[in-house]
Amino acid sequence: MSDLTTLTITDALKGLESKDFSAVELTQAHIDAMATAKNLNAYITETPEIALEQAKASDARRAGGGAKLLDGIPLAIKDLFCTRGVQTTAASKILEGFVPTYESTVTSNLFEDGAVMLGKTNMDEFAMGSANTTSHFGNVINPWTREGDDTPLVPGGSSGGSAAAVAARIAMGATGTDTGGSIRQPASLTGIVGIKPTYGRCSRWGAVAFASSLDHPGSFGRTVEDAALILQSMSGHDPKDATSAKQDVPDFAAAASGYIKGMKIGIPDEYRIDGMPEEIEKLWQQGIEWIKEAGAEPVKISLPHTKYALPAYYIIAPAEASSNLSRYDGVRYGLRVEGESLDDMYALTRAEGFGDEVKRRIMIGTYVLSAGYYDAYYIKAQKVRRVILNDFVEAFKQCDAILTPTAPSSAFAIGENEDDPIKMYLNDVFTVTGNLAGLPGISIPGGVDAQGLPLGLQITGRVWDEETVIKIAANIERAANFTALPQTLAKAAA
Amino acid sequence: MSEIDLATAKKIANLSRLKMDDAELDTRAASLTGIIKWVEQLQEVDTDNIEPLANVVNTELVLRKDEVTDGGYADKVLKNAPEETQDFFVVPKVVE
């Protein structure tokens, strides 16, 4: 681990500006680090040639005085974002070898701002999972392990490769997508910061679709300011996405130095669930103390329908997925398995190309949308979705943002929670409400549990108010002073 | 209505265009039944007079002039096709 890979993005930008090092040196340091961390399986496709070319161009821009927001910063891109000329798989066999002829809006925005792409990160297949164990390209390993125990742990999911890469210092930041918690939960399990903005803030154009009304592109960083900076670059109106909002993009990174004195922070009782480890409850109480010390006031609020968010999600998300994934038919791109007829070709291609969890969700979605069940399941779930949104509308009459734990557990071993799909789904119990309501949310590391594993705290804010979320997160970040390192890095640094 | 039997699983697999043998359908039926039973707790929620929420975006749909703004690059569109010929996708024969 070289010094350059331990820098924050903010410090790296200062170093580049004062010519302490070049973008090529910064990028090369990360490419070297990637070579020593292959065991994590964080990347599906590494793109060192592209990265060095981009870094060279960045150095030239900076020399000419035209450096942009993220100029020369090496980032990892979740393999759900289409990248022109670079394989994009969504971690599925059905898209293996797919090379887009176009660039997603989010990656276009990042490249426009000078970002460097180190590679495409591993993830759960089609972003369906909470442990990064459903990828066609193998499991991602969390750089964190339990004290005195080498058992490989999951990084969370679905953006597990992005989270592991940032935590392991083999990327300075990363993009992710969050449909039920897929940025915030892995951020919590790997001890980094993850932001899911308001629905419509980042364009979904060119991002492989899972559940369109719930999919949110967002960012990872090792500090609140870093994650905010990346998000700022990714954001903005895009006419190519009909749900992209015409909203000005504030200076998110500047919000990280803001104060929260006098703010009211909601604490919902309903996020205290059965079987939640005591340490998470303790960290939550600690978080409340931290915001009090920063001058904010905790207020008790109620989100009475929280427990129905997950079952509503597991109707709506599979329903949208079953429609979105109907495009994988062996005709236009991806895998084709020949059959006796067109229909046979479809069914054989999809049986061969999709993994177990993806098939499960397509089938749930098809069932809840089928004749006779549509009203009882799908429409009912959409009504419950509104009830959950209304809970938040009521709560935000009393508070400016909401503080909760991010996930109900720390990182677990590969294979744990696999015996029953519902057990795995429960990982998203605290995050999924934010997707149903489209609200901005962030996870920040608050501390470690008795096994030395990171635990995250989550801030959820009002629609379009990422700035408040970032402010509160940055205040907690300063108070928590989270300096723990994944065991492998701690050893290298010692 | 929450029990998904083999026949229902077969029907869903067909609608989903997923080839499965009976052994797999059997396992799938049990797993789907578990999930469907779990989501049925939504029936406890009083949703009388509640409008379904399809999407949190409440902006109006954007209209534009009906004119060609993009296209003319069949080679790019076909670049990832498993099989193509003369600017067309090729599919198995569907008309005798």
Side-chain angles (χ1 to χ4, degrees):
Chain A
M1 185 172 63
S2 88
D3 289 348
L4 292 182
T5 61
T6 62
L7 293 175
T8 63
I9 293 174
T10 324
D11 284 341
L13 286 169
K14 284 179 198 151
L16 287 166
E17 194 54 38
S18 55
K19 300 197 168 51
D20 295 343
F21 47 82
S22 66
V24 168
E25 286 167 333
L26 183 64
T27 299
Q28 189 61 52
H30 283 86
I31 293 170
D32 295 346
M34 284 158 74
T36 67
K38 296 262 192 211
N39 62 313
L40 301 179
N41 200 23
Y43 288 90
I44 291 175
T45 307
E46 298 185 352
T47 56
E49 294 88 5
I50 293 173
L52 287 169
E53 208 172 286
Q54 288 173 325
K56 226 169 130 184
S58 169
D59 282 331
R61 258 193 314 273
R62 197 174 288 279
K68 309 270 191 56
L69 190 69
L70 286 169
D71 228 310
I73 299 301
L75 300 179
I77 303 297
K78 186 177 185 180
D79 206 20
L80 201 67
F81 293 96
C82 286
T83 40
R84 191 188 299 116
V86 176
Q87 176 183 244
T88 300
T89 67
S92 181
K93 184 178 181 183
I94 214 158
L95 273 177
E96 191 167 12
F98 172 66
V99 179
T101 53
Y102 51 90
E103 193 73 44
S104 81
T105 300
V106 157
T107 44
S108 290
N109 290 348
L110 288 169
F111 297 153
E112 186 62 35
D113 279 332
V116 167
M117 176 171 76
L118 293 167
K120 307 290 297 288
T121 52
N122 205 344
M123 50 181 281
D124 279 300
E125 184 181 5
F126 283 107
M128 298 178 188
S130 305
N132 219 124
T133 50
T134 72
S135 167
H136 171 62
F137 300 91
N139 301 332
V140 175
I141 310 293
N142 194 329
W144 293 81
T145 50
R146 295 171 181 140
E147 296 290 359
D149 177 356
D150 288 343
T151 311
L153 304 178
V154 304
S158 66
S159 315
S162 288
V166 176
R169 275 71 177 165
I170 53 172
M172 302 200 93
T175 65
T177 59
D178 190 317
T179 304
S182 284
I183 289 175
R184 292 159 292 160
Q185 184 256 11
S188 178
L189 269 53
T190 58
I192 61 169
V193 177
I195 312 182
K196 173 197 94 69
T198 307
Y199 185 82
R201 180 69 90 181
C202 291
S203 167
R204 290 181 295 104
W205 192 83
V208 177
F210 161 16
S212 305
S213 82
L214 300 160
D215 292 344
H216 298 63
S219 64
F220 290 100
R222 288 190 294 267
T223 66
V224 173
E225 193 177 4
D226 284 2
L229 200 60
I230 299 169
L231 182 68
Q232 197 171 315
S233 172
M234 293 166 67
S235 298
H237 176 246
D238 176 14
K240 288 189 280 201
D241 173 359
T243 60
S244 163
K246 280 187 178 149
Q247 288 276 338
D248 290 335
V249 181
D251 188 341
F252 288 144
S257 52
Y259 294 98
I260 60 167
K261 201 168 157 44
M263 275 189 195
K264 288 189 163 61
I265 319 266
I267 311 296
D269 252 350
E270 292 82 0
Y271 280 58
R272 207 159 266 122
I273 59 160
D274 291 344
M276 186 165 86
E278 207 176 300
E279 289 160 309
I280 291 178
E281 171 70 34
K282 228 175 87 187
L283 177 68
W284 193 10
Q285 293 310 316
Q286 177 65 66
I288 296 170
E289 286 309 312
W290 284 330
I291 55 149
K292 276 206 257 182
E293 283 160 21
E297 181 196 340
V299 292
K300 228 173 132 76
I301 57 160
S302 179
L303 297 167
H305 298 90
T306 299
K307 71 176 261 211
Y308 299 108
L310 214 44
Y313 175 86
Y314 274 97
I315 292 174
I316 295 167
E320 294 188 20
S322 72
S323 308
N324 272 328
L325 271 58
S326 66
R327 73 190 62 177
Y328 302 102
D329 55 5
V331 173
R332 287 158 298 168
Y333 34 67
L335 182 75
R336 173 189 287 199
V337 179
E338 299 296 345
E340 287 166 14
S341 64
L342 183 63
D343 255 337
D344 205 34
M345 187 271 279
Y346 291 153
L348 285 167
T349 297
R350 292 161 63 82
E352 174 78 21
F354 291 136
D356 179 62
E357 182 61 26
V358 173
K359 286 180 189 168
R360 182 183 352 269
R361 298 207 196 180
I362 290 173
M363 290 180 81
I364 298 168
T366 303
Y367 181 70
V368 300
L369 289 176
S370 63
Y373 299 106
Y374 184 83
D375 286 338
Y377 293 108
Y378 186 58
I379 296 296
K380 180 73 185 182
Q382 287 194 329
K383 287 181 177 177
V384 173
R385 184 176 185 183
R386 187 178 295 281
V387 169
I388 287 163
L389 177 68
N390 290 345
D391 278 1
F392 280 108
V393 171
E394 284 305 308
F396 282 126
K397 288 178 183 166
Q398 303 161 58
C399 63
D400 300 296
I402 296 165
L403 171 68
T404 63
T406 306
S409 81
S410 59
F412 45 91
I414 290 166
E416 258 177 66
N417 296 324
E418 301 273 356
D419 53 323
D420 175 2
I422 295 169
K423 248 198 225 172
M424 188 63 88
Y425 299 168
L426 282 170
N427 269 287
D428 291 335
V429 64
F430 298 146
T431 46
V432 74
T433 49
N435 298 83
L436 290 168
L439 303 171
I442 190 168
S443 177
I444 31 162
V448 293
D449 66 8
Q451 300 174 307
L453 297 176
L455 296 170
L457 285 169
Q458 176 179 235
I459 319 286
T460 304
R462 293 190 178 103
V463 161
W464 307 121
D465 194 11
E466 286 85 353
E467 285 173 286
T468 293
V469 169
I470 290 165
K471 270 180 209 166
I472 298 167
N475 276 270
I476 292 180
E477 180 179 53
R478 283 193 284 277
N481 189 28
F482 183 86
T483 54
L485 281 174
Q487 285 72 1
T488 45
L489 295 180
K491 262 182 239 159
Chain B
M1 63 181 163
S2 56
E3 196 69 38
I4 295 179
D5 56 17
L6 188 65
T8 313
K10 203 172 232 169
K11 188 180 149 206
I12 303 168
N14 179 46
L15 288 172
S16 306
R17 296 294 182 272
L18 291 167
K19 189 79 123 196
M20 283 179 189
D21 60 22
D22 279 3
E24 184 177 0
L25 283 169
D26 230 18
T27 323
R28 296 255 170 220
S31 151
L32 292 177
T33 299
I35 292 165
I36 293 299
K37 281 198 165 138
W38 172 68
V39 299
E40 279 178 358
Q41 60 177 297
L42 294 185
Q43 299 307 326
E44 299 163 20
V45 184
D46 178 3
T47 51
D48 289 351
N49 306 315
I50 300 280
E51 281 294 307
L53 177 64
N55 197 307
V56 290
V57 175
N58 45 20
T59 48
E60 281 172 40
L61 281 178
V62 192
L63 298 177
R64 65 162 175 85
K65 272 198 187 131
D66 185 16
E67 56 190 18
V68 177
T69 59
D70 199 5
Y73 39 75
D75 54 328
K76 278 190 183 179
V77 174
L78 291 163
K79 184 168 171 291
N80 284 283
E83 197 183 343
E84 46 100 8
T85 184
Q86 295 166 4
D87 284 359
F88 287 98
F89 294 107
V90 176
V91 296
K93 194 171 176 183
V94 282
V95 183
E96 287 304 324

